[in-house]
Amino acid sequence: MALIVLAADKGAPGVTTAATALGAIWPRPVLLAECDPAGGDIAYRLPAADGGVLNPARGLLTLGATARRGLHPDQIHEHTQKIIGGLDVLAGLTHGEQASGLTWLWGPLGRALATLPDADVLADCGRLGGHPQLAELTAEASLVVLFTRASLDHVAHLRERLQIMPREPQVGVVVIADPRQYRTTIEEVRRIVMGTGRHVAFVSGLAHDPKGAELLRGQWGGRLDRSLLIRTARELGGRLDAQLRAQESAESAYRAREQAARSPVEPSSGAKP
């Protein structure tokens, strides 16, 4: 199924919160994979399915220890855990120093996640640029989604990142926007992005909703499904799903044309009716 990379260029504009919200509303089976070489905190911020805590030692680190002899997609789920709500997660490294011994992992990991047979994968890759080896993982993605705040410095870094990224895979942009100026903010960023001359599949948004993020982590009571975070995550998830389906249709049509072009043409017998 599909590998979708979620990342940012500068700072931490809420990629992990966005990834978790998208995983909660995804229309098909999905795996949330924490693939940030700088280290992640899913194991510390999200409760386990039984209400307890996740095991921070089980995830990408244990997968890397068993994958030196080769990594097959079937191995992935041996190292995942479930959080409340039933979402499968592959917990990431607990600190950046662990990444120094796993520089070889990102390419094989990308290929395994991209070919996971029974689920899409949302890969939280944190901040691009600081870890060039992540390019081996992102190259395997069906779609790379870059998150940004609407501030001048964040958008300037986004613009530079778009100009140096390879043409494949396709890239989309998501603005973490203040709900009070939600549509206006997204349109402003869209104009800046389109001015780079770099083809971007879409520019969309996700509400900056601290209370919704706390509900997502189970820290407060309330109706999570009514939060701005989840409501805008549903809109974003629909956009991502439509983009993936369009890509699949285009790829299927291309393969059909290639197969037709390779099919031998039977010679005419020369007989007239």
Side-chain angles (χ1 to χ4, degrees), residues 9-10 127 152-162:
D9 184 83
K10 178 179 172 58
R127 179 178 176 269
L152 179 61
D153 57 336
H154 278 254
V155 175
H157 280 277
L158 169 69
R159 184 172 56 194
E160 295 297 323
R161 174 60 50 188
L162 289 171

Side-chain angles (χ1 to χ4, degrees), residues 4-272:
I4 305 99
V5 163
L6 312 176
D9 184 83
K10 178 179 172 58
V15 177
T16 299
T17 297
T20 308
L22 287 169
I25 57 85
W26 202 251
R28 292 176 301 283
V30 67
L31 168 67
L32 173 57
E34 196 171 34
C35 300
D36 187 349
D41 58 2
I42 279 181
Y44 304 114
R45 67 191 295 180
L46 299 176
D50 60 2
V53 296
L54 296 176
N55 179 2
R58 179 183 176 188
L60 196 60
L61 192 61
T62 55
L63 179 63
T66 62
R68 290 186 177 276
R69 295 181 297 276
L71 179 56
H72 191 274
D74 291 342
Q75 294 174 263
I76 300 292
H77 282 296
E78 297 173 9
H79 303 270
T80 62
Q81 303 176 69
K82 284 188 183 294
I83 63 172
I84 284 180
L87 177 62
D88 288 315
V89 299
L90 178 68
L93 307 178
T94 56
H95 53 81
E97 286 75 10
Q98 291 171 336
S100 62
L102 296 172
T103 55
W104 57 272
L105 177 63
W106 306 105
L109 178 64
R111 290 187 289 275
L113 294 176
T115 54
L116 200 66
D118 54 355
D120 293 327
V121 178
L122 299 171
D124 174 3
C125 292
R127 179 178 176 269
L128 298 179
H131 301 276
Q133 63 268 31
L134 264 182
E136 298 180 32
L137 187 150
T138 59
E140 303 295 332
S142 299
L143 182 65
V144 175
V145 183
L146 297 179
F147 289 78
T148 185
R149 302 280 188 186
S151 63
L152 179 61
D153 57 336
H154 278 254
V155 175
H157 280 277
L158 169 69
R159 184 172 56 194
E160 295 297 323
R161 174 60 50 188
L162 289 171
Q163 291 174 340
I164 64 174
M165 288 186 71
R167 295 294 170 180
E168 296 293 338
Q170 290 196 51
V171 175
V173 170
V174 174
V175 186
I176 306 296
D178 186 329
R180 294 170 294 182
Q181 295 93 30
Y182 190 73
R183 301 298 176 189
T184 301
T185 300
I186 295 170
E187 286 304 316
E188 289 175 352
V189 175
R190 178 180 285 111
R191 286 195 295 270
I192 295 170
V193 167
M194 296 310 172
T196 65
R198 206 275 192 201
H199 173 71
V200 174
F202 62 86
V203 178
S204 189
L206 189 70
H208 176 58
D209 179 14
K211 182 62 178 294
E214 292 170 351
L215 287 171
L216 190 65
R217 293 195 291 268
Q219 294 183 358
W220 295 91
R223 290 293 300 276
L224 176 61
D225 59 335
R226 293 182 179 176
S227 69
L228 281 173
L229 174 62
I230 292 299
R231 284 158 52 190
T232 53
R234 290 188 187 281
E235 294 179 7
L236 177 58
R239 172 66 67 90
L240 298 182
D241 185 50
Q243 185 67 35
L244 292 171
R245 302 289 79 80
Q247 286 181 223
E248 290 176 0
S249 296
E251 291 169 1
S252 295
Y254 175 79
R255 288 193 295 268
R257 290 195 299 270
E258 287 288 295
Q259 185 175 0
R262 290 195 300 267
S263 297
V265 178
E266 294 184 5
S268 173
S269 64
K272 297 181 179 180

